[in-house]
């Protein structure tokens, strides 16, 4: 029991938000990441098979003519498929591919800020060098009948070295994570998600327009994460930070009530602005 507890604690890391609040996160283990990748890889393979079948039908319709241009187009499509798949899903709001979402993990920026598209592109293009390039070399040489023992061993060692890299660093990072400044963290799905804006508080808080204008959509999402975690220390720290920002003194015992009220008011205001065609992405936008 003690060993398991120490192992769990060893994967917990501080995640400092732009507000200076420490949101503790738990790193995804290597087995979960590998399983998520295999699920995604199966989806990619099935899609690639469908594209190949369509290409073969197209080739048959051309009576065998234009095979080389069609083959080049097929290679390009497969390249974009395996890269765009990861980039599009991880650049989305959930920052996770279908495989990651199924196993309850997601990508996060180590800086504590929102995950940028540049980070997503960098971490996923590195996968070409880590995995797909050595496998492509092995398969390509095999099809040409040129594969020998040394080239096969070289390709496998190359792929294995990068694949096992997360096991040899304490933050479980791939080379792509290291270069992009990202983590893969646990994000377990909630069976029933409470609408935080409907919580009733014993004490009523009122906020001016200027106080609500202090934050935007990015901060609303961070605030929701804090409220759902029900961590007293985090609630107190965030309440104090927001209180200082908008000029209100918050008693420690009122932290949860204050944040719930502010969350509801801020969410309502942002929704109204969205209906009018305006939205504030974060606190830095004027």
């Amino acid at each position: 029991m003690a060993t398991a507890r120490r192992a769990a604690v060893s994967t917990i890391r501080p995640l400092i938000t732009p507000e200076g609040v420490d949101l503790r996160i738990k790193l995804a283990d290597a087995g979960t990441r590998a399983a998520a990748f295999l699920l995604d890889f199966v989806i990619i393979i099935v899609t690639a098979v469908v594209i190949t079948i369509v290409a073969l039908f197209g080739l048959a319709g051309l009576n065998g003519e234009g095979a080389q241009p069609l083959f080049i187009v097929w290679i390009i499509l497969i390249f974009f498929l395996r890269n765009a798949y990861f980039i599009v899903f991880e650049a989305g709001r959930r920052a996770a591919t279908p495989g990651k979402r199924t196993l309850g993990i997601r990508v996060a920026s180590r800086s504590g800020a929102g995950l940028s598209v540049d980070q997503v592109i960098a971490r996923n293009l590195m996968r070409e060098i880590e995995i797909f390039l050595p496998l492509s070399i092995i398969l390509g040489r095999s099809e040409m009948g040129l594969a020998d023992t040394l080239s096969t061993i070289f390709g496998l060692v190359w792929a294995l070295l990068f694949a096992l890299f997360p096991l040899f660093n304490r933050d479980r990072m791939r080379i792509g994570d290291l270069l992009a400044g990202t983590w893969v963290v646990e994000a377990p799905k909630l069976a029933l998600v409470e609408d935080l804006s409907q919580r009733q508080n014993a004490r009523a808080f009122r906020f001016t327009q200027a106080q609500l204008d202090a934050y935007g959509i990015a901060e609303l999402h961070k605030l929701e994460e804090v409220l759902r975690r029900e961590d007293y220390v985090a609630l107190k720290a965030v309440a104090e930070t927001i209180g200082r920002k908008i000029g209100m003194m918050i008693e420690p015992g009122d932290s949860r009530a204050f944040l719930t009220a502010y969350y509801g008011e801020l969410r309502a205001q942002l929704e109204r602005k969205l209906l009018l065609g305006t939205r504030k992405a974060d606190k830095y936008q004027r």
Side-chain angles (χ1 to χ4, degrees):
M1 181 67 71
T3 303
R5 188 180 297 110
R6 283 196 298 271
V9 171
S10 69
T11 61
I12 295 176
R13 299 287 183 274
L15 184 66
I16 310 299
T17 70
E19 294 295 333
V21 179
D22 183 2
L23 298 177
R24 295 275 167 171
I25 52 92
K26 189 174 187 297
L27 299 178
D29 61 71
T32 302
R33 294 186 63 173
F37 175 75
L38 288 176
L39 286 175
D40 290 323
F41 193 66
V42 168
I43 295 174
I44 291 173
I45 290 296
V46 171
T47 307
V49 168
V50 172
I51 292 176
T52 303
I53 293 173
V54 171
L56 290 175
F57 274 109
L59 183 61
L62 295 173
N63 296 320
E65 298 179 2
Q68 186 172 355
L70 188 62
F71 179 68
I72 293 173
V73 172
W74 177 84
I75 291 177
I76 294 173
L77 285 176
I78 297 301
F79 174 80
F80 278 106
L81 168 64
R82 68 185 186 226
N83 285 286
Y85 174 89
F86 290 98
I87 291 172
V88 169
F89 280 113
E90 291 182 359
R93 184 174 62 86
R94 298 186 179 183
T97 59
K100 287 184 175 68
R101 285 164 52 186
T102 300
L103 294 176
I105 60 178
R106 60 166 290 170
V107 181
S109 175
R110 296 204 305 273
S111 68
L115 190 66
S116 70
V117 176
D118 290 343
Q119 287 177 299
V120 173
I121 292 174
R123 74 182 303 275
N124 285 300
L125 287 184
M126 274 302 299
R127 190 179 284 106
E128 284 293 315
I129 299 175
E130 294 173 331
I131 298 174
F132 291 122
L133 182 58
L135 293 182
S136 297
I137 292 173
I138 294 172
L139 292 175
R141 291 175 66 86
S142 297
E143 290 175 358
M144 293 186 294
L146 299 175
D148 53 29
T149 303
L150 288 179
S151 62
T152 301
I153 292 175
F154 175 75
L156 289 175
V157 169
W158 182 351
L160 197 62
L161 180 65
F162 284 110
L164 296 180
F165 185 80
L167 298 178
F168 298 102
N169 65 89
R170 64 185 299 272
D171 288 335
R172 314 281 178 85
M173 292 186 292
R174 288 176 31 232
I175 295 293
D177 291 315
L178 189 65
L179 295 178
T182 57
W183 272 324
V184 177
V185 302
E186 291 190 358
K189 294 184 291 186
L190 299 175
L192 293 174
V193 180
E194 177 190 6
D195 184 352
L196 297 175
S197 63
Q198 300 302 315
R199 283 184 176 177
Q200 299 298 317
N201 298 311
R203 178 181 171 187
F205 289 89
R206 294 290 179 266
F207 306 100
T208 65
Q209 186 69 36
Q211 289 173 327
L212 294 174
D213 284 337
Y215 293 101
I217 296 172
E219 290 76 28
L220 181 72
H221 291 322
K222 293 292 183 183
L223 179 54
E224 181 175 356
E225 290 179 12
V226 173
L227 284 168
R228 292 199 188 284
R229 288 176 55 206
E230 297 285 357
D231 184 327
Y232 174 78
V233 175
L235 289 171
K236 180 176 177 293
V238 173
E240 290 175 352
T241 301
I242 294 177
R244 285 194 301 270
K245 176 79 172 180
I246 65 176
M248 293 181 67
M249 292 293 295
I250 310 301
E251 296 295 330
D254 292 332
S255 297
R256 183 176 180 276
F258 165 75
L259 292 179
T260 301
Y262 191 77
Y263 171 85
E265 294 283 342
L266 179 59
R267 175 177 170 175
Q269 172 172 277
L270 292 173
E271 288 175 349
R272 286 194 298 270
K273 287 187 174 183
L274 186 59
L275 291 175
L276 296 174
T278 60
R279 59 187 294 172
K280 183 173 181 177
D282 54 40
K283 62 181 180 179
Y284 301 109
Q285 183 176 333
R286 300 298 180 187

